[in-house]
Amino acid sequence: MTKQISSFAEYRKVYKNSVENPEKFWEKQARTFEWKKKWDKVLEWNFDKPDVQWFVGGKMNITENCLDRHLKKRGDQVALIWEPNDPSQSYVEYTYKELYQAVCQCANALKANGIKKGDRVCFYMPMVPELTIGVLACARIGAIHSVVFAGFSATALADRIKDATCKMVICSDYNSRGAKNIPVKEIVDEALKKDCDSIETVLVHKNTGDKVKMKSGRDKWWHKEVDGQKKSCKAAKMDAEDMLFILYTSGSTGKPKGVVHTCGGYMVYTEYTFRNVFQYKKGDIYWCTADIGWITGHSYIIYGPLLAGATTIMFEGVPTYPDAGRFWHVCEKHKVTHFYTAPTAIRALMAAGDHWPSHYDLSSLKVLGSVGEPINEEAWNWYNEKVGKQNCPIVDTWWQTETGGILISPLAGLHKLKPSYAMYPMPGIQPCLVDAEGNELKKKEAEGLLCIKFPWPSMIRTTYGDHDRCKQVYFSAFENMYFTGDGARRDKGGAYRIIGRVDDVINVSGHRIGTAEVENAINEHPLVIESAVVGYPHEIKGQGIYAYIITEEDVDDVAAFKKEVHAEVTKVIGPIAKPDLIQVVPGLPKTRSGKIMRRILRKIASGESDSIGDVSTLLNPEIVTSISDGNSDAV
Ligand code: WTA
């Protein structure tokens, strides 16, 4: 471990060095890990292809760095605390030694079931310890994990399994979330009926113990396969650039893409950012409330904290079960020092009332974090006052599935904060703002499209099975830069404020949803001719989903029709993508080349019809007034 940055002056110095000589900087970080063979070269890169390789020729295994190397020093320290959905059920702790053994047992079970280095294993599981164990077991033997958020539908799961040609699915019987009991295994069974021919085995973890159907020859119980295995397992020798995992995420167009991360750079970057952003100290109890189905869970529940030898909490439940005090209860119970959540949760809990956080002893808290979407000032202030008691720095961390780790964020407690600003780039990160033509805005104070000019170790390497798509989406908009898809503002002091997506991605409760995906799902409804989906400001969710729909015949009961649309979207994607509002329209505003003018639809959905501007170049300008007039009928 390198020394943590401990003052703003030091950050400035480190930052300067890191961008003047990035290879030397990252090499120094990398040296603190265990490598089976040292790298021949620190970095090779070409953003045009794109081809980015870090620690070229280096050999290692990330789990040896997450687990084995801690055994001597902190084998008996708690690595993982699991807090169940039901607060009356007792929590579970794994020391580093116990986690190591559990991972090895699972790794041996994977091998016994024919999983080899390079094979893809899909996870479709609730937030149970076996998910973390399974993910690390894959990494142990060099299998590539592809975790699919357990809120996605059978169709969405099948698409992801097929795209990555996974050999195995690991799932649970059921998922208890709040008051619900979701039949996970049943959803897997349904997905596997959709031409998922590559799947040979389904490993089922007994979670609730409710009855499930097991298909003989294919389905096996976790406890039967794993529990009897040896508690040690040789770690596969991985190239720094071998794939570690695939994680699907939504973009502007088409189906979700499998973002690929590799072993070496991801390891170095997640550990470094975890320690420096959160200023984690020995003995601290760190809790990130994200789901492991998203990147935040990968990098800052599993890998970053374990690499740093931290104690990390995994929470199975939801913020409002059994009541809106649950988060604060868990903080009190485990004496949480670091609490990392999403603005949507903060807003929801803020709406539930101040008495919830004030009812619990939150005096253990030292650092608060925010991630996934812009945090509005009101939520920031509430978080600061009611949760942090004005005593905990808030790290508003900006990053993406594609970036692997946090790129822009305050370093906890090291400098003054500005509400709603993600503040400064991490060492080694070279952000810039460009205008629509790609000209860099050199003035300090500026607003533009956020790009990154130089590679960092945990950046996306490719989109699985379609390298050209990676090039098109991230490296073709502007020459020699990684384009984030976000707009941002920079102040005089060089602090960044993230404004939000500038593409057709909406950020609903911190979940990235592609408008095209939702439209495709809506269009499955037999009555629908065409649809257009946009985001609009939503008090709790940040953005809500607004769908304009053209139907074949008049819809008398729009509320009933909305239910049918919801069913369609739930079937194709999952409940997270259900439109909040739908409006049945006679047509959609289009350019002469037939492109839907979403800018106009966004204005109407946001209640800003007055500032639509000139529509005379549209193919059908008259439609704008008609849609705008009908806006109040949206349900
Ligand atoms: C948004 C989540 C403002 C942003 C880690 C980005 C944020 C997208 C912040 C990535 C933040 C994430 N402030 N916006 N602190 N963090 N975003 O891939 O639009 O699920 O492009 O990764 O979330 O979402 P993803």
Side-chain angles (χ1 to χ4, degrees):
M1 265 176 220
T2 49
K3 191 180 151 288
Q4 253 175 34
I5 298 172
S6 61
S7 70
F8 191 45
E10 189 185 350
Y11 160 76
R12 283 235 171 96
K13 208 172 111 204
V14 171
Y15 183 78
K16 189 162 173 282
N17 284 339
S18 76
V19 295
E20 281 171 4
N21 204 336
E23 297 181 30
K24 211 167 141 199
F25 173 78
W26 288 115
E27 180 159 45
K28 188 173 151 201
Q29 312 307 325
R31 268 204 217 106
T32 65
F33 293 87
E34 274 178 18
W35 294 79
K36 291 173 186 287
K37 175 184 167 284
K38 206 189 152 211
W39 50 92
D40 306 314
K41 199 165 176 232
V42 178
L43 172 66
E44 293 245 26
W45 71 290
N46 173 330
F47 273 0
D48 187 40
K49 283 184 176 166
D51 175 28
V52 174
Q53 297 176 50
W54 283 91
F55 312 113
V56 186
K59 305 280 178 196
M60 38 73 71
N61 186 292
I62 198 167
T63 68
E64 286 187 329
N65 285 281
C66 286
L67 302 168
D68 309 41
R69 82 176 162 138
H70 297 314
L71 292 183
K72 255 204 198 130
K73 242 175 135 180
R74 51 175 78 86
D76 295 326
Q77 180 202 307
V78 175
L80 182 71
I81 301 174
W82 178 70
E83 173 66 28
N85 177 58
D86 176 356
S88 67
Q89 198 186 327
S90 56
Y91 61 90
V92 177
E93 290 183 338
Y94 287 79
T95 63
Y96 269 94
K97 191 166 161 217
E98 288 163 344
L99 188 59
Y100 162 83
Q101 292 179 340
V103 168
C104 286
Q105 284 190 308
C106 180
N108 286 326
L110 295 181
K111 281 204 285 193
N113 279 284
I115 300 297
K116 294 188 297 292
K117 184 172 169 178
D119 287 343
R120 276 80 55 209
V121 175
C122 177
F123 288 82
Y124 187 74
M125 278 180 113
M127 287 285 286
V128 290
E130 286 72 13
L131 173 53
T132 296
I133 291 164
V135 158
L136 291 169
C138 283
R140 186 84 181 168
I141 62 169
I144 298 160
H145 54 82
S146 168
V147 182
V148 176
F149 174 61
F152 280 118
S153 70
T155 308
L157 172 61
D159 285 346
R160 286 157 177 78
I161 289 172
K162 281 185 277 190
D163 189 75
T165 52
C166 295
K167 209 164 159 183
M168 180 188 269
V169 185
I170 305 187
C171 68
S172 289
D173 48 7
Y174 283 78
N175 174 5
S176 32
R177 248 177 101 69
K180 291 188 205 142
N181 195 18
I182 303 153
V184 177
K185 169 67 166 58
E186 215 176 286
I187 299 172
V188 171
D189 287 340
E190 203 187 317
L192 296 189
K193 283 188 198 135
K194 300 175 197 279
D195 306 321
C196 295
D197 307 331
S198 57
I199 294 293
E200 292 172 6
T201 314
V202 179
L203 195 60
V204 188
H205 162 246
K206 195 175 259 187
N207 186 29
T208 63
D210 291 290
K211 219 171 150 53
V212 293
K213 277 197 203 121
M214 298 289 276
K215 186 171 168 185
S216 94
R218 186 195 71 180
D219 302 351
K220 299 184 178 173
W221 286 107
W222 171 291
H223 57 274
K224 289 202 178 144
E225 298 302 309
V226 175
D227 291 356
Q229 293 288 348
K230 247 181 52 197
K231 292 182 177 170
S232 65
C233 172
K234 194 161 171 258
K237 190 172 178 179
M238 303 299 285
D239 192 278
E241 283 300 330
D242 276 340
M243 269 185 217
L244 175 63
F245 66 85
I246 305 169
L247 185 58
Y248 286 85
T249 191
S250 296
S252 281
T253 52
K255 289 199 167 169
K257 45 192 177 281
V259 171
V260 170
H261 285 291
T262 56
C263 298
Y266 180 82
M267 168 177 81
V268 172
Y269 195 81
T270 52
E271 191 262 4
Y272 181 80
T273 48
F274 171 75
R275 281 191 304 113
N276 283 287
V277 167
F278 295 103
Q279 294 285 305
Y280 183 90
K281 302 279 186 303
K282 200 168 167 254
D284 286 345
I285 308 288
Y286 164 90
W287 180 22
C288 167
T289 70
D291 193 289
I292 290 172
W294 312 113
I295 190 71
T296 307
H298 282 63
S299 302
Y300 298 108
I301 294 179
I302 303 180
Y303 287 111
L306 295 178
L307 286 163
T311 300
T312 178
I313 300 186
M314 229 181 128
F315 175 48
E316 186 185 26
V318 297
T320 48
Y321 179 82
D323 57 44
R326 186 68 196 275
F327 271 4
W328 321 127
H329 185 200
V330 175
C331 285
E332 177 184 279
K333 180 165 159 192
H334 296 290
K335 300 204 168 37
V336 171
T337 55
H338 291 67
F339 178 71
Y340 188 29
T341 196
T344 188
I346 300 168
R347 287 188 297 263
L349 295 175
M350 178 168 85
D354 297 353
H355 58 288
W356 290 110
S358 62
H359 182 70
Y360 294 94
D361 177 7
L362 300 179
S363 60
S364 57
L365 287 173
K366 295 202 289 194
V367 175
L368 302 176
S370 172
V371 62
E373 43 170 330
I375 177 164
N376 49 309
E377 282 196 42
E378 199 191 348
W380 196 99
N381 287 327
W382 186 83
Y383 201 25
N384 183 37
E385 283 161 28
K386 305 296 177 213
V387 182
K389 321 287 183 203
Q390 294 189 326
N391 214 8
C392 301
I394 297 178
V395 289
D396 178 2
T397 62
W398 173 81
W399 58 297
Q400 311 177 297
T401 306
E402 295 86 342
T403 69
I406 297 166
L407 295 200
I408 302 182
S409 168
L411 301 181
L414 302 196
H415 49 75
K416 262 182 82 174
L417 300 172
K418 246 172 116 166
S420 78
Y421 273 72
M423 304 304 291
Y424 307 113
M426 286 290 111
I429 302 304
Q430 301 188 32
C432 67
L433 298 174
V434 302
D435 65 18
E437 279 74 49
N439 305 306
E440 184 173 347
L441 308 171
K442 299 262 182 178
K443 258 181 70 185
K444 261 271 159 82
E445 209 172 355
E447 185 171 321
L449 305 170
L450 181 60
C451 295
I452 316 288
K453 289 197 279 195
F454 194 84
W456 63 99
S458 66
M459 71 184 294
I460 179 173
R461 297 301 196 267
T462 188
T463 43
Y464 192 81
D466 191 352
H467 192 64
D468 196 49
R469 190 159 176 210
C470 175
K471 179 183 160 84
Q472 287 308 323
V473 175
Y474 307 104
F475 298 93
S476 298
F478 309 111
E479 210 183 325
N480 243 340
M481 288 186 215
Y482 166 82
F483 175 47
T484 64
D486 279 321
R489 184 176 305 150
R490 187 172 52 215
D491 75 5
K492 279 198 274 260
Y496 285 85
R497 175 187 189 155
I498 310 301
I499 298 165
R501 303 291 306 193
V502 293
D503 54 9
D504 292 324
V505 170
I506 18 191
N507 197 325
V508 185
S509 303
H511 299 154
R512 257 168 87 165
I513 295 179
T515 50
E517 278 172 77
V518 185
E519 288 162 8
N520 289 340
I522 295 173
N523 297 350
E524 293 280 308
H525 189 287
L527 258 191
V528 174
I529 295 177
E530 196 179 6
S531 62
V533 163
V534 297
Y536 72 99
H538 188 287
E539 217 172 301
I540 303 285
K541 299 180 175 184
Q543 279 190 299
I545 303 179
Y546 195 114
Y548 298 91
I549 304 178
I550 309 175
T551 51
E552 230 158 52
E553 43 196 77
D554 285 346
V555 175
D556 297 328
D557 187 348
V558 182
F561 176 59
K562 183 180 177 184
K563 275 200 186 134
E564 291 173 22
V565 168
H566 276 186
E568 212 60 71
V569 173
T570 302
K571 195 173 92 198
V572 179
I573 307 173
I576 54 171
K578 285 191 299 198
D580 297 278
L581 287 170
I582 71 166
Q583 182 182 346
V584 176
V585 293
L588 292 165
K590 290 194 175 169
T591 60
R592 286 181 203 280
S593 59
K595 223 177 133 225
I596 297 173
M597 285 297 283
R598 284 167 204 283
R599 181 181 60 77
I600 294 173
L601 296 175
R602 263 184 233 123
K603 286 268 179 199
I604 298 174
S606 309
E608 297 170 13
S609 300
D610 301 349
S611 59
I612 286 174
D614 183 23
V615 295
S616 59
T617 56
L618 288 181
L619 186 67
N620 49 351
E622 71 291 343
I623 203 76
V624 176
T625 322
S626 150
I627 297 178
S628 173
D629 289 347
N631 173 239
S632 52
D633 298 334
V635 290

